[in-house]
Amino acid sequence: METSKYYLGLDVGGTAMKAGIISAEGNLIHSLMQPTNKNAGPKAGLALMEKVIRLCIESAGLKLDSIKAIGAAVPGIIDLKNGVILDAVNLTDWKNVPVRTHLETIFSKPIAFLNDANAAALGEAWLGAGKGAESMVFLTLGTGIGGGLVHQGKIIEGRHGLAGEIGHTRIEMSRPRPCSCGNFGCLEAYAGATSVLKRAYEALAEDFNKISDLHEPAEKKTLSCKDVFDAARNGDPLADRLVEETSSALALGIINILHFFDPEKVVLGGGMIAAGDDFLKRIRWFVKDQAFKECAQGEDICFATLGNDAGILGAAIAARQMLLKN
Ligand SMILES: [Zn+2]
């Protein structure tokens, strides 16, 4: 009798370790998460991966035998071929961590290995905002900007697993801002949450008459991206300018994607989409204004719908795809 008919997805993050189980039909039947101590080091991290996987299977009322394969979505710079995290910027001391070999040894299951942005892209393409689209580009708008390309239900990895690194495509040449990657003028240097805050502090330093409402949280050092978007909605002119610049920078990045890849859908995910419809409207407006009209209908740019589940779902789908391939 065929007993193993489920796939498990693991999403390794800087703040939480998540696991979820999907059925062969692709339905999420159970998930859970545990907080991660990002300073605990890779040894504790690998132990937590094992714990979360076992807990997830157990609390779903299943046995390890029921799981056909496991997918692991991981952050940072990875060696795709060997299943190793080379350097996870948000996790202290995670250098050269052999995640796939470790999980293979413990669970004796086939392990799919992919980066977290690609996992979220795959999740959204199969079960979220990109469902039904032949081609989709996913952007995660978080501290930085990640991305993933999906064509006919599969991730386009590229030679080094770097395809879809949209955050580090260049949008500014004349007076480019420095980016976290060491280059200048990248999309992330304008539209990632960290950059939005940096630009906010710069603008506030020049707002000599202190007209903006953002001075108060800035002086308390509590200023967040959410404050900037909220203030823009309430008519704060400085915040409005910041949101307008962020939207136009993102639109430039999206126009580059549209003209290069001509996808059916562009899906925006990550913490910054909490900014809401006003943000989306502005991005759509810029894109519609400047892109070839054939590839910018407006509604083909939308927000992700799976939230925090996108990564585990994508990782589980990658596990299923890996078995179908072999
Ligand atoms: Zn960059």
Side-chain angles (χ1 to χ4, degrees), residues 13 78-79 124 148 154 156 201 225 234 237-238 249-250 270 280 296 304-306 313:
I78 63 175
D79 175 347
E124 288 291 341
K154 297 213 171 87
I156 298 177
Y201 278 105
C225 237
N234 293 328
L238 184 143
L250 266 171
L280 184 60
T305 56
L306 299 178
L313 289 169

PDB file of all heavy atoms in Angstrom, residues 13 78-79 124 148 154 156 201 225 234 237-238 249-250 270 280 296 304-306 313:
ATOM      1  N   GLY A  13      14.011  31.162   8.437  1.00  0.00           N
ATOM      2  CA  GLY A  13      14.065  32.630   8.399  1.00  0.00           C
ATOM      3  C   GLY A  13      14.835  33.210   9.560  1.00  0.00           C
ATOM      4  O   GLY A  13      15.191  32.500  10.511  1.00  0.00           O
ATOM      5  N   ILE A  78      23.427  31.063  -1.561  1.00  0.00           N
ATOM      6  CA  ILE A  78      23.443  29.604  -1.448  1.00  0.00           C
ATOM      7  C   ILE A  78      24.203  28.933  -2.591  1.00  0.00           C
ATOM      8  O   ILE A  78      24.338  29.486  -3.674  1.00  0.00           O
ATOM      9  CB  ILE A  78      22.008  29.020  -1.375  1.00  0.00           C
ATOM     10  CG1 ILE A  78      21.211  29.296  -2.661  1.00  0.00           C
ATOM     11  CG2 ILE A  78      21.268  29.570  -0.174  1.00  0.00           C
ATOM     12  CD1 ILE A  78      19.833  28.647  -2.693  1.00  0.00           C
ATOM     13  N   ASP A  79      24.686  27.740  -2.309  1.00  0.00           N
ATOM     14  CA  ASP A  79      25.245  26.868  -3.339  1.00  0.00           C
ATOM     15  C   ASP A  79      24.133  25.874  -3.661  1.00  0.00           C
ATOM     16  O   ASP A  79      23.897  24.920  -2.929  1.00  0.00           O
ATOM     17  CB  ASP A  79      26.496  26.161  -2.792  1.00  0.00           C
ATOM     18  CG  ASP A  79      27.058  25.142  -3.781  1.00  0.00           C
ATOM     19  OD1 ASP A  79      26.366  24.798  -4.765  1.00  0.00           O
ATOM     20  OD2 ASP A  79      28.191  24.688  -3.549  1.00  0.00           O
ATOM     21  N   GLU A 124       3.274  31.341  -4.636  1.00  0.00           N
ATOM     22  CA  GLU A 124       2.286  32.280  -5.202  1.00  0.00           C
ATOM     23  C   GLU A 124       1.862  31.861  -6.608  1.00  0.00           C
ATOM     24  O   GLU A 124       0.714  32.062  -6.995  1.00  0.00           O
ATOM     25  CB  GLU A 124       2.857  33.709  -5.228  1.00  0.00           C
ATOM     26  CG  GLU A 124       2.985  34.375  -3.859  1.00  0.00           C
ATOM     27  CD  GLU A 124       1.637  34.716  -3.208  1.00  0.00           C
ATOM     28  OE1 GLU A 124       0.624  34.786  -3.910  1.00  0.00           O
ATOM     29  OE2 GLU A 124       1.620  34.884  -1.974  1.00  0.00           O
ATOM     30  N   GLY A 148      11.752  36.298  -7.848  1.00  0.00           N
ATOM     31  CA  GLY A 148      11.779  34.965  -8.447  1.00  0.00           C
ATOM     32  C   GLY A 148      10.992  34.965  -9.744  1.00  0.00           C
ATOM     33  O   GLY A 148       9.990  35.671  -9.871  1.00  0.00           O
ATOM     34  N   LYS A 154       7.366  26.415 -13.153  1.00  0.00           N
ATOM     35  CA  LYS A 154       8.705  26.092 -12.626  1.00  0.00           C
ATOM     36  C   LYS A 154       9.549  27.345 -12.443  1.00  0.00           C
ATOM     37  O   LYS A 154       9.448  28.297 -13.220  1.00  0.00           O
ATOM     38  CB  LYS A 154       9.421  25.162 -13.606  1.00  0.00           C
ATOM     39  CG  LYS A 154       8.717  23.837 -13.762  1.00  0.00           C
ATOM     40  CD  LYS A 154       9.717  22.715 -14.020  1.00  0.00           C
ATOM     41  CE  LYS A 154       9.043  21.374 -13.947  1.00  0.00           C
ATOM     42  NZ  LYS A 154       8.455  20.956 -15.232  1.00  0.00           N
ATOM     43  N   ILE A 156      12.718  29.585 -12.745  1.00  0.00           N
ATOM     44  CA  ILE A 156      13.902  29.723 -13.592  1.00  0.00           C
ATOM     45  C   ILE A 156      15.060  30.066 -12.656  1.00  0.00           C
ATOM     46  O   ILE A 156      15.081  31.142 -12.055  1.00  0.00           O
ATOM     47  CB  ILE A 156      13.696  30.830 -14.652  1.00  0.00           C
ATOM     48  CG1 ILE A 156      12.529  30.435 -15.566  1.00  0.00           C
ATOM     49  CG2 ILE A 156      14.978  31.063 -15.452  1.00  0.00           C
ATOM     50  CD1 ILE A 156      12.184  31.479 -16.605  1.00  0.00           C
ATOM     51  N   TYR A 201      15.124  59.789   6.736  1.00  0.00           N
ATOM     52  CA  TYR A 201      15.989  60.546   7.659  1.00  0.00           C
ATOM     53  C   TYR A 201      16.715  61.682   6.924  1.00  0.00           C
ATOM     54  O   TYR A 201      16.846  62.789   7.446  1.00  0.00           O
ATOM     55  CB  TYR A 201      17.000  59.615   8.347  1.00  0.00           C
ATOM     56  CG  TYR A 201      16.406  58.882   9.538  1.00  0.00           C
ATOM     57  CD1 TYR A 201      16.076  57.533   9.475  1.00  0.00           C
ATOM     58  CD2 TYR A 201      16.152  59.562  10.732  1.00  0.00           C
ATOM     59  CE1 TYR A 201      15.512  56.866  10.560  1.00  0.00           C
ATOM     60  CE2 TYR A 201      15.596  58.916  11.835  1.00  0.00           C
ATOM     61  CZ  TYR A 201      15.277  57.558  11.736  1.00  0.00           C
ATOM     62  OH  TYR A 201      14.722  56.924  12.821  1.00  0.00           O
ATOM     63  N   CYS A 225       8.819  52.201   8.289  1.00  0.00           N
ATOM     64  CA  CYS A 225       8.281  52.351   6.947  1.00  0.00           C
ATOM     65  C   CYS A 225       6.771  52.590   7.003  1.00  0.00           C
ATOM     66  O   CYS A 225       6.210  53.365   6.241  1.00  0.00           O
ATOM     67  CB  CYS A 225       8.538  51.061   6.194  1.00  0.00           C
ATOM     68  SG  CYS A 225       9.456  51.319   4.717  1.00  0.00           S
ATOM     69  N   ASN A 234      -2.162  60.405   5.160  1.00  0.00           N
ATOM     70  CA  ASN A 234      -2.784  61.521   5.884  1.00  0.00           C
ATOM     71  C   ASN A 234      -2.393  62.882   5.326  1.00  0.00           C
ATOM     72  O   ASN A 234      -2.608  63.916   5.958  1.00  0.00           O
ATOM     73  CB  ASN A 234      -2.416  61.452   7.379  1.00  0.00           C
ATOM     74  CG  ASN A 234      -3.033  60.233   8.035  1.00  0.00           C
ATOM     75  OD1 ASN A 234      -4.112  59.796   7.641  1.00  0.00           O
ATOM     76  ND2 ASN A 234      -2.344  59.656   9.017  1.00  0.00           N
ATOM     77  N   PRO A 237       3.238  66.127   3.309  1.00  0.00           N
ATOM     78  CA  PRO A 237       3.894  66.316   1.995  1.00  0.00           C
ATOM     79  C   PRO A 237       5.249  65.613   1.872  1.00  0.00           C
ATOM     80  O   PRO A 237       5.570  65.076   0.814  1.00  0.00           O
ATOM     81  CB  PRO A 237       4.051  67.844   1.881  1.00  0.00           C
ATOM     82  CG  PRO A 237       3.697  68.407   3.190  1.00  0.00           C
ATOM     83  CD  PRO A 237       3.013  67.382   4.023  1.00  0.00           C
ATOM     84  N   LEU A 238       6.033  65.612   2.941  1.00  0.00           N
ATOM     85  CA  LEU A 238       7.357  64.964   2.875  1.00  0.00           C
ATOM     86  C   LEU A 238       7.191  63.443   2.698  1.00  0.00           C
ATOM     87  O   LEU A 238       7.845  62.821   1.861  1.00  0.00           O
ATOM     88  CB  LEU A 238       8.142  65.288   4.153  1.00  0.00           C
ATOM     89  CG  LEU A 238       9.575  64.783   4.244  1.00  0.00           C
ATOM     90  CD1 LEU A 238      10.465  65.800   4.957  1.00  0.00           C
ATOM     91  CD2 LEU A 238       9.647  63.447   4.966  1.00  0.00           C
ATOM     92  N   ALA A 249      10.418  54.264  -8.260  1.00  0.00           N
ATOM     93  CA  ALA A 249      11.601  53.397  -8.352  1.00  0.00           C
ATOM     94  C   ALA A 249      11.166  51.946  -8.609  1.00  0.00           C
ATOM     95  O   ALA A 249      11.707  51.260  -9.478  1.00  0.00           O
ATOM     96  CB  ALA A 249      12.419  53.482  -7.065  1.00  0.00           C
ATOM     97  N   LEU A 250      10.157  51.514  -7.852  1.00  0.00           N
ATOM     98  CA  LEU A 250       9.656  50.141  -8.041  1.00  0.00           C
ATOM     99  C   LEU A 250       9.079  49.964  -9.434  1.00  0.00           C
ATOM    100  O   LEU A 250       9.276  48.932 -10.086  1.00  0.00           O
ATOM    101  CB  LEU A 250       8.568  49.842  -7.012  1.00  0.00           C
ATOM    102  CG  LEU A 250       9.055  49.161  -5.761  1.00  0.00           C
ATOM    103  CD1 LEU A 250       7.949  49.116  -4.742  1.00  0.00           C
ATOM    104  CD2 LEU A 250       9.549  47.750  -6.072  1.00  0.00           C
ATOM    105  N   GLY A 270       5.893  40.463   0.631  1.00  0.00           N
ATOM    106  CA  GLY A 270       6.800  41.015   1.643  1.00  0.00           C
ATOM    107  C   GLY A 270       6.113  42.059   2.502  1.00  0.00           C
ATOM    108  O   GLY A 270       5.008  42.506   2.199  1.00  0.00           O
ATOM    109  N   LEU A 280      -0.074  50.434  -4.254  1.00  0.00           N
ATOM    110  CA  LEU A 280      -0.241  49.648  -5.484  1.00  0.00           C
ATOM    111  C   LEU A 280      -0.733  50.528  -6.636  1.00  0.00           C
ATOM    112  O   LEU A 280      -0.252  50.440  -7.763  1.00  0.00           O
ATOM    113  CB  LEU A 280      -1.219  48.488  -5.233  1.00  0.00           C
ATOM    114  CG  LEU A 280      -1.438  47.511  -6.389  1.00  0.00           C
ATOM    115  CD1 LEU A 280      -0.137  46.832  -6.795  1.00  0.00           C
ATOM    116  CD2 LEU A 280      -2.475  46.449  -6.009  1.00  0.00           C
ATOM    117  N   ALA A 296       1.559  46.373 -20.108  1.00  0.00           N
ATOM    118  CA  ALA A 296       1.203  47.022 -18.842  1.00  0.00           C
ATOM    119  C   ALA A 296      -0.274  47.348 -18.811  1.00  0.00           C
ATOM    120  O   ALA A 296      -0.702  48.434 -19.164  1.00  0.00           O
ATOM    121  CB  ALA A 296       2.010  48.299 -18.666  1.00  0.00           C
ATOM    122  N   ALA A 304       0.608  39.844  -3.377  1.00  0.00           N
ATOM    123  CA  ALA A 304       0.594  38.421  -3.044  1.00  0.00           C
ATOM    124  C   ALA A 304      -0.582  38.117  -2.116  1.00  0.00           C
ATOM    125  O   ALA A 304      -1.065  39.005  -1.417  1.00  0.00           O
ATOM    126  CB  ALA A 304       1.903  38.056  -2.353  1.00  0.00           C
ATOM    127  N   THR A 305      -1.041  36.861  -2.131  1.00  0.00           N
ATOM    128  CA  THR A 305      -2.202  36.532  -1.302  1.00  0.00           C
ATOM    129  C   THR A 305      -1.909  35.484  -0.214  1.00  0.00           C
ATOM    130  O   THR A 305      -2.742  35.243   0.635  1.00  0.00           O
ATOM    131  CB  THR A 305      -3.355  35.987  -2.183  1.00  0.00           C
ATOM    132  OG1 THR A 305      -2.863  34.861  -2.912  1.00  0.00           O
ATOM    133  CG2 THR A 305      -3.863  37.038  -3.138  1.00  0.00           C
ATOM    134  N   LEU A 306      -0.730  34.857  -0.258  1.00  0.00           N
ATOM    135  CA  LEU A 306      -0.476  33.761   0.685  1.00  0.00           C
ATOM    136  C   LEU A 306       0.195  34.195   1.985  1.00  0.00           C
ATOM    137  O   LEU A 306       0.302  33.405   2.914  1.00  0.00           O
ATOM    138  CB  LEU A 306       0.399  32.684   0.024  1.00  0.00           C
ATOM    139  CG  LEU A 306      -0.180  32.005  -1.217  1.00  0.00           C
ATOM    140  CD1 LEU A 306       0.826  31.009  -1.784  1.00  0.00           C
ATOM    141  CD2 LEU A 306      -1.479  31.281  -0.885  1.00  0.00           C
ATOM    142  N   LEU A 313       4.763  26.665   1.385  1.00  0.00           N
ATOM    143  CA  LEU A 313       4.028  26.061   0.262  1.00  0.00           C
ATOM    144  C   LEU A 313       4.962  25.863  -0.937  1.00  0.00           C
ATOM    145  O   LEU A 313       4.989  24.799  -1.553  1.00  0.00           O
ATOM    146  CB  LEU A 313       2.836  26.934  -0.132  1.00  0.00           C
ATOM    147  CG  LEU A 313       1.687  26.944   0.878  1.00  0.00           C
ATOM    148  CD1 LEU A 313       0.680  28.031   0.546  1.00  0.00           C
ATOM    149  CD2 LEU A 313       1.000  25.582   0.915  1.00  0.00           C
TER     150      LEU A 313
END
